[in-house]
Amino acid sequence: MQKSDLRIVFMGTPEFAVETLKALVDNDYQVVAVVTQPDKPVGRHGTVLQPSAVKVFAQEHGLPVLQPEKMKDPVFIEQLCSFEANLQVVVAFRMLPEVVWAMPRYGTFNVHAALLPQYRGAAPINWAVINGETMTGVTTFFLDHDIDTGRIIMQLPFPIPDDADVAFVYDGLMHLGADICLQTLERILTTDGHPETVEQNDSSLFTLHSSLSSFPSPLSSLPSPLKTAPKIFKETCEINWKMTAKQVYDFIRGLSPYPGAWTTLKSPDGTESVLKVFHTTKTDKPATGTPGQIVTDRKHLYISCADDLLQIDELQLAGKKRMAAQAFLNGMKTIENYLVI
């Protein structure tokens, strides 16, 4: 099969997906249409409509754009059929009904920002960092009826440094996702649309690398049982100071810079304010008092966790700008009398 034989519909919405779409365009793949989310109302009154990052890129490159409200809309299905695509590529998009993912002759494959079957779900990058993983990666797999469970085509690893926040991992996987998409397309081309795949199951972590020649050996040491990556909400981001300092450290970097881990700062008179924490440093200093106890030498700001003190480096008080801990201390002369809960 030749590259010109592929007619690709690309589906995605955020910046993360743009890198893969760009790779397809730059490498002369025939992208016949792009499917993305409807424009999102923004602004104080929601009167301004903001297009997705994928839509902006697609329009800049003259690619047809479809923005269905509902993926089963008969009008959308008819429009999608009209492009006569024989392959669909999905990156950071919504769940597709069978009438959509089963439409192309060569199927629909997804680029997922984790090493499946680990971290199925909407927020795999955040949860990998929150859980203190030292390795993650990207996976391409063919879509089927359930979320992130289809047959795996390829996987590539990405190490997570201990001091990396989610922004670092996001950027790394965004570029690695574009790479694995191109490699997956090469496999589809060289196998006439039928690349070797491996079915996901509970033992996949220990068998995939021997079944797929491209599967790197470090992945055989990934943790079991399987961990999921559910969507993150505001309440998900609340810090539990009763965890160990390492757990809190990982939790904060797994949500930094966005959406941001938060806690409640309680003053001596009972007033409460939301405090976001963006960067911390682990210490070997034993915790003082109960979890949430604030400790400072006026040069450093610490908070007690279950075992050790965690040094707070960057934070943001509600209504204020993000700042270094030293600047925060300069404006909070009696911070020792406060508590985080």
Side-chain angles (χ1 to χ4, degrees):
M1 185 191 303
Q2 301 298 315
K3 183 183 291 188
S4 58
D5 294 328
L6 286 180
R7 292 178 58 83
I8 300 172
V9 166
F10 181 86
M11 300 185 182
T13 294
E15 177 194 13
F16 189 91
V18 172
E19 191 68 23
T20 301
L21 178 56
K22 181 178 183 298
L24 295 179
V25 172
D26 289 349
N27 285 273
D28 300 320
Y29 279 98
Q30 187 179 188
V31 180
V32 296
V34 170
V35 182
T36 190
Q37 295 277 39
D39 294 358
K40 182 180 179 181
V42 295
R44 185 173 181 180
H45 302 291
T47 55
V48 178
L49 294 178
Q50 178 176 295
S52 72
V54 163
K55 179 181 178 179
V56 171
F57 180 89
Q59 291 183 326
E60 289 174 349
H61 291 78
L63 302 175
V65 176
L66 302 178
Q67 296 178 274
E69 292 283 350
K70 297 180 179 180
M71 299 302 291
K72 292 183 179 180
D73 184 343
V75 174
F76 164 68
I77 299 299
E78 183 178 354
Q79 289 176 324
L80 193 60
C81 283
S82 71
F83 289 101
E84 300 181 342
N86 51 22
L87 180 69
Q88 292 176 155
V89 178
V90 180
V91 184
F93 198 52
R94 59 217 264 191
M95 186 173 180
L96 303 180
E98 183 174 3
V99 66
V100 173
W101 58 256
M103 185 182 298
R105 175 183 177 185
Y106 302 123
T108 300
F109 76 80
N110 180 272
V111 177
H112 186 72
L115 297 172
L116 294 174
Q118 289 284 21
Y119 295 108
R120 294 172 177 146
I125 304 176
N126 296 93
W127 285 107
V129 180
I130 287 172
N131 289 332
E133 306 291 4
T134 58
M135 183 74 72
T136 185
V138 288
T139 302
T140 51
F141 67 97
F142 284 115
L143 295 189
D144 62 11
H145 294 90
D146 297 315
I147 297 176
D148 301 334
T149 60
R151 295 183 65 86
I152 291 175
I153 309 167
M154 287 188 67
Q155 295 191 309
L156 294 175
F158 183 84
I160 305 177
D162 183 63
D163 60 350
D165 62 16
V166 76
F168 175 88
V169 182
Y170 179 99
D171 185 70
L173 294 184
M174 180 173 68
H175 291 88
L176 194 62
D179 291 343
I180 199 173
C181 178
L182 295 178
Q183 292 183 41
T184 299
L185 288 171
E186 283 294 327
R187 290 198 171 198
I188 289 173
L189 289 173
T190 57
T191 58
D192 290 326
H194 303 287
E196 179 186 4
T197 60
V198 171
E199 184 178 355
Q200 294 187 52
N201 54 59
D202 289 346
S203 61
S204 293
L205 292 174
F206 307 99
T207 59
L208 277 174
H209 69 282
S210 61
S211 301
L212 292 175
S213 59
S214 67
F215 199 88
S217 57
L219 305 186
S220 62
S221 63
L222 283 173
S224 186
L226 302 183
K227 297 178 183 179
T228 58
K231 187 175 180 179
I232 289 176
F233 299 95
K234 180 181 178 181
E235 54 269 26
T236 312
C237 303
E238 184 176 9
I239 301 169
N240 177 9
W241 298 103
K242 294 180 180 179
M243 296 191 298
T244 66
K246 175 64 165 63
Q247 289 173 320
V248 177
Y249 170 81
D250 290 335
F251 184 82
I252 290 169
R253 67 191 182 100
L255 296 168
S256 179
Y258 183 83
W262 62 273
T263 188
T264 300
L265 182 66
K266 187 173 183 179
S267 69
D269 65 6
T271 302
E272 296 183 355
S273 302
V274 172
L275 183 71
K276 283 192 172 184
V277 183
F278 296 99
H279 191 274
T280 64
T281 299
K282 291 176 291 183
T283 77
D284 56 3
K285 303 176 186 293
T288 300
T290 59
Q293 182 74 44
I294 294 175
V295 179
T296 181
D297 56 8
R298 302 312 304 178
K299 293 182 179 179
H300 304 91
L301 176 63
Y302 306 98
I303 296 180
S304 289
C305 300
D307 52 358
D308 295 326
L309 293 178
L310 187 65
Q311 180 177 305
I312 310 301
D313 302 318
E314 290 184 52
L315 67 170
Q316 181 179 16
L317 193 60
K320 304 291 184 179
K321 294 182 179 180
R322 179 172 170 173
M323 65 183 75
Q326 184 62 66
F328 176 77
L329 288 172
N330 292 340
M332 301 287 287
K333 300 300 182 182
T334 60
I335 190 65
E336 299 90 338
N337 299 322
Y338 284 66
L339 184 71
V340 290
I341 56 175

